[in-house]
Amino acid sequence: MEIRDYEYILIPNILEKYKCSMSGECCQSKWRIDIDEQSYLETKKNLEKQKEDIDTYMGKHESGAYVSKFANGYCKLITEDKKCRVHQEFGWECLSDTCKIYPRNLKLTSRGMEIGMGFSCRSSAKLLLSKEKFYIKKIKKEDYFFMKPRSVSFIIPENNLKTEISSRYYELEQMAIDILNLDENLYVKLQYLEKLISELYGANIEEYDFKESVEKFKEFIPSVPNNENLEDEIVRIILEKQKRSKAVGIYYINLLRLIGLNRNLEMDKKILASDSFTLTKSELDELKKVWKEDYNTILQNYFLCLTFNKEMYYNPEYFMMKATMLTIFLKFRIMLNTKYLGRELTEAELIYTIKSHDEDLAHDGEFFSEFYKAKCDEKVNISELTKTLLTLIA
């Protein structure tokens, strides 16, 4: 959708302070950097003026163009001092929408331009360490600068049928934020939120009282965590991910092998030589012992930011499953790295762990949609699967 006029920027307070560190790391990403048609043509014109061929720097695919990369993963349009040549020589108007807004996620809504964020960037990942209480900040657009893209996706809840959950999306989003902001155990809050989202599908949406649902949290009696088969579900997810990204799957598999070493040459040789790997309940219990309760703030901030990114608008059940998978795997990765190093992570290592996790998992939206579809086709109860995965946070 072309960007129409809007009055306000809405952004989570913990993300407002984002500032690019100009490290150039995003120009060395693992994923394909897509280029919109207008940016492609503008860059082509500017390169031709300098007697250069755009095919040296960009390739074409069925739906547009993408940046070509050097063997080290860097975009071929980055300079030796890790500055963007397009931005530097041709101006920011020539940049593709992907490069203009990264790591932000933009949605134009009836409230204004809403700015969420991804965390495959160290500067944004660091913001998840914030101890501030999460809330949505409303700012006059003149008071907040960001590189505006040519177009943006949009959601208008008011345009939906009043019987659809999406018609009251803003209230649903605020309910989730209010529940997660309660001064209570994170696992219990997420368990309660999962329960409410499951119940929404059978509720009268026009009469549903979202504020009352928050108030009723104090009456909620959480179930005892049933983590039976949790380790099996984690292994299944790793193996499914490996089918799409061998490197990501092998990363988790190798870490699980390394932390399982016995410091015995004969026994460890067998572990490292084997193509298989395991994750037992006792191994998972041992991993949990390295977890710092202070890190729950990171998980909560992460889940809240995922909520604000608007995926719950389209399918709340799918969102709850995906956000739970991403959150538990962030915890899993922090625990694995801590166990491997045999000590507490430094702040820099913690930020790198968040960045790497988001880069490897959150950017692959197709993985989650295909995983969800496969589970639905297998008649798996998505709510029960989500509740099982949530027990890693308990």
Side-chain angles (χ1 to χ4, degrees):
M1 174 186 175
E2 291 299 314
I3 296 180
R4 58 168 173 76
D5 192 34
Y6 57 93
E7 192 174 355
Y8 293 101
I9 300 287
L10 287 90
I11 185 169
N13 61 310
I14 66 171
L15 303 183
E16 185 195 4
K17 298 181 180 70
Y18 171 78
K19 185 177 180 182
C20 177
S21 62
M22 300 182 73
S23 67
E25 276 193 338
C26 56
C27 305
Q28 194 188 19
S29 59
K30 295 178 182 178
W31 59 88
R32 187 178 73 187
I33 301 174
D34 287 326
I35 305 297
D36 58 81
E37 186 67 14
Q38 189 171 338
S39 176
Y40 176 84
L41 294 173
E42 285 292 321
T43 305
K44 183 174 185 289
K45 182 176 71 176
N46 281 297
L47 286 170
E48 286 173 349
K49 288 178 182 176
Q50 299 183 12
K51 310 298 183 188
E52 292 187 74
D53 187 350
I54 194 166
D55 291 342
T56 304
Y57 304 99
M58 293 183 189
K60 295 282 282 183
H61 56 79
E62 64 282 355
S63 55
Y66 62 91
V67 167
S68 299
K69 297 181 181 181
F70 291 113
N72 64 3
Y74 273 110
C75 166
K76 286 189 175 181
L77 283 160
I78 199 168
T79 64
E80 287 185 7
D81 58 350
K82 294 187 173 59
K83 299 292 188 293
C84 174
R85 185 180 166 195
V86 174
H87 191 183
Q88 197 173 64
E89 295 181 20
F90 311 146
W92 76 269
E93 288 279 358
C94 191
L95 283 172
S96 71
D97 283 356
T98 302
C99 300
K100 279 180 184 174
I101 68 174
Y102 179 84
R104 301 170 185 86
N105 298 314
L106 304 184
K107 288 286 188 297
L108 190 59
T109 77
S110 47
R111 300 192 295 195
M113 182 69 77
E114 308 209 17
I115 303 179
M117 213 161 274
F119 301 98
S120 54
C121 156
R122 291 183 205 243
S123 297
S124 60
K126 186 176 182 179
L127 300 175
L128 293 179
L129 276 56
S130 172
K131 302 294 185 184
E132 293 181 43
K133 188 174 183 178
F134 184 102
Y135 66 92
I136 300 171
K137 196 164 184 178
K138 195 173 184 180
I139 308 168
K140 293 283 284 185
K141 69 177 181 181
E142 296 82 10
D143 298 331
Y144 186 89
F145 172 79
F146 68 100
M147 289 187 182
K148 295 172 182 61
R150 297 179 183 90
S151 62
V152 67
S153 58
F154 68 98
I155 64 170
I156 310 293
E158 298 87 344
N159 287 351
N160 294 288
L161 293 173
K162 291 184 178 180
T163 53
E164 294 179 358
I165 298 171
S166 53
S167 69
R168 298 185 65 190
Y169 172 75
Y170 299 139
E171 293 163 279
L172 171 60
E173 179 183 88
Q174 192 58 52
M175 179 187 77
I177 292 170
D178 289 343
I179 289 169
L180 287 167
N181 271 333
L182 293 171
D183 189 19
E184 298 289 346
N185 177 276
L186 177 59
Y187 169 67
V188 175
K189 290 187 290 189
L190 288 173
Q191 191 184 113
Y192 183 61
L193 180 59
E194 194 285 325
K195 172 181 175 290
L196 293 180
I197 285 177
S198 295
E199 292 173 351
L200 277 177
Y201 286 92
N204 183 332
I205 297 302
E206 292 181 81
E207 297 179 4
Y208 192 86
D209 193 329
F210 289 93
K211 289 183 179 179
E212 184 181 58
S213 292
V214 178
E215 289 297 316
K216 284 186 174 180
F217 176 82
K218 55 180 173 285
E219 301 170 14
F220 177 59
I221 301 174
S223 60
V224 176
N226 178 11
N227 60 359
E228 188 178 351
N229 301 323
L230 173 60
E231 61 278 4
D232 293 336
E233 293 296 348
I234 291 172
V235 169
R236 285 191 194 99
I237 292 169
I238 291 171
L239 292 175
E240 285 300 316
K241 179 61 183 175
Q242 188 181 20
K243 292 176 185 177
R244 288 183 59 85
S245 175
K246 188 174 181 180
V248 174
I250 287 174
Y251 175 86
Y252 281 104
I253 291 168
N254 285 341
L255 262 182
L256 284 167
R257 285 175 178 160
L258 287 171
I259 66 169
L261 297 180
N262 303 286
R263 303 295 187 269
N264 177 294
L265 291 176
E266 187 174 347
M267 292 174 68
D268 290 348
K269 181 180 179 181
K270 292 178 182 178
I271 293 173
L272 294 172
S274 173
D275 288 334
S276 63
F277 75 103
T278 61
L279 177 62
T280 65
K281 186 178 185 304
S282 59
E283 288 170 337
L284 197 53
D285 289 340
E286 281 299 308
L287 267 180
K288 285 183 176 182
K289 291 178 182 178
V290 306
W291 182 252
K292 284 184 63 182
E293 288 303 310
D294 284 354
Y295 291 163
N296 281 336
T297 303
I298 296 171
L299 300 185
Q300 178 164 307
N301 284 338
Y302 188 53
F303 201 101
L304 281 161
C305 288
L306 291 172
T307 301
F308 187 75
N309 281 347
K310 303 291 177 288
E311 278 194 86
M312 189 161 56
Y313 174 77
Y314 303 101
N315 183 339
E317 179 188 64
Y318 166 74
F319 161 77
M320 194 67 202
M321 182 206 75
K322 178 180 176 180
T324 296
M325 288 171 68
L326 283 169
T327 304
I328 68 145
F329 264 84
L330 175 54
K331 178 173 182 176
F332 189 55
R333 191 143 179 168
I334 291 171
M335 293 191 301
L336 283 172
N337 288 355
T338 303
K339 183 74 171 176
Y340 170 67
L341 291 173
R343 57 168 173 77
E344 186 178 321
L345 301 182
T346 64
E347 182 176 291
E349 289 167 343
L350 186 57
I351 291 167
Y352 176 75
T353 300
I354 296 168
K355 169 197 175 295
S356 301
H357 156 78
D358 208 66
E359 187 173 57
D360 287 343
L361 291 180
H363 276 268
D364 190 0
E366 283 186 12
F367 167 70
F368 293 98
S369 56
E370 288 178 7
F371 184 89
Y372 177 75
K373 183 179 183 301
K375 293 300 178 187
C376 290
D377 290 344
E378 294 165 14
K379 308 300 183 187
V380 171
N381 186 311
I382 301 298
S383 175
E384 291 301 318
L385 171 62
T386 301
K387 283 189 274 191
T388 297
L389 296 174
L390 276 176
T391 58
L392 186 62
I393 295 174

